[in-house]
């Protein structure tokens, strides 16, 4: 929640212009105002927007049956994500069937690309990569002992991902959460999304030796890609 003055300063608009915008957004329920604090927060119309997006998103609709089958098979958390401005946005998250501690990812949430499996695999297959310039202006943040913190290390990792066809996250964003991620391609052969299998390190590490988990992630990603029109023989 933010007050009108906080929002005015944050978006660099005059208070009068900001007030008119807030009034309109509140009228259409995109925002709601707390009568006690005069703070604004997101309204129910935003939830309706998400539902409409979710129902019309071809990638999510195509992928969902395969993601559910994968989750039921491996019993771990399964994510579907895309890349937006060199950050990861989660389109879907299917909860695992095991007991899992706190995992920060959520549908609609964002995460850094350089220290997540889905993010790294999407960076690796980006058709017109912009990450060098992006990370030059947005320094790496070290989240854990295994977080990549330099462009040289990231490029080396991305080369390895392209060579092997999948990415591993060894607790690089959340120390106890490990994952394997695979790219999803569209009819033009572009990586439009990625899926991952995530779980606590105590259960799925070391991923390097968990070839069955890697195989299942890649096979599911391939199946979804073919449904989107991708020709793996091209």
């Amino acid at each position: 929640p933010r007050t009108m003055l906080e929002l005015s300063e944050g978006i660099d608009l005059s208070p009068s212009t900001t007030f008119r915008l807030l009034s309109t957004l509140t009228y259409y329920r995109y925002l709601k105002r707390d009568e006690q604090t005069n703070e604004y927060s997101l309204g129910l119309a935003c939830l309706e927007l998400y539902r409409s997006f979710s129902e019309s998103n071809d990638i999510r609709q195509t992928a969902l049956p395969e993601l559910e089958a994968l989750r039921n098979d491996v019993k771990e958390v399964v994510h579907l994500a895309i890349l937006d401005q060199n950050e990861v946005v989660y389109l879907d998250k299917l909860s695992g069937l095991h007991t899992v501690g706190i995992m920060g990812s959520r549908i609609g949430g964002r995460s850094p690309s350089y220290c997540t499996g889905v993010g790294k695999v999407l960076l690796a297959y980006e058709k017109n990569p912009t990450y060098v310039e992006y990370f030059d202006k947005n320094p790496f943040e070290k989240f854990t002992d295994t977080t990549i913190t330099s462009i040289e290390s990231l490029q080396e990792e991305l080369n390895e991902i392209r060579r092997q066809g999948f990415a591993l996250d060894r607790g690089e964003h959340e120390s106890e959460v490990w994952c394997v991620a695979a790219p999803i391609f569209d009819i033009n052969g572009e990586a439009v999304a990625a899926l991952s299998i995530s779980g606590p390190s105590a259960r799925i590490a070391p991923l390097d030796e968990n070839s069955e988990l890697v195989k299942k992630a890649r096979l599911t990603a391939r199946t979804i890609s073919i449904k989107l029109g991708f020709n793996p023989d091209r």
Side-chain angles (χ1 to χ4, degrees), residues 33-52:
R33 185 173 69 89
D34 189 308
E35 299 290 343
Q36 302 298 319
T37 64
N38 283 324
E39 290 181 323
Y40 292 85
S41 57
L42 297 181
L44 284 175
C46 290
L47 185 60
E48 294 169 1
L49 275 181
Y50 165 72
R51 185 186 64 191
S52 296

Side-chain angles (χ1 to χ4, degrees), residues 1-12 18 38-40:
R2 296 287 187 273
T3 65
M4 187 271 289
L5 288 178
E6 287 174 332
L7 290 166
S8 174
E9 293 173 358
I11 60 179
D12 197 25
T18 303
N38 283 324
E39 290 181 323
Y40 292 85

Side-chain angles (χ1 to χ4, degrees), residues 64-74 94:
L64 188 55
E66 305 302 330
L67 298 177
E68 290 176 336
L70 178 63
R71 187 275 311 275
N72 293 341
D73 181 15
V74 301
L94 281 68

Side-chain angles (χ1 to χ4, degrees), residues 13-26:
L13 288 177
S14 68
S16 59
T17 301
T18 303
F19 178 76
R20 289 197 299 272
L21 290 171
L22 293 177
S23 296
T24 302
L25 290 170
T26 302

Side-chain angles (χ1 to χ4, degrees), residues 116-122 124-125 156-170 179-185 194-197 206-219 221:
T116 55
V118 285
K120 290 190 296 182
V121 83
L122 286 169
Y125 286 97
E156 183 178 342
E157 178 89 354
L158 299 185
N159 289 335
E160 178 66 10
I161 290 169
R162 284 190 294 271
R163 185 192 66 79
Q164 63 190 13
F166 61 90
L168 299 178
D169 172 3
R170 304 173 179 87
C179 80
V180 55
I184 295 171
F185 300 100
L195 65 81
S196 69
I197 302 171
L207 280 168
D208 311 64
E209 300 174 12
N210 202 332
S211 58
E212 194 63 25
L213 207 62
V214 172
K215 180 181 177 181
K216 289 177 179 180
R218 296 186 69 188
L219 181 60

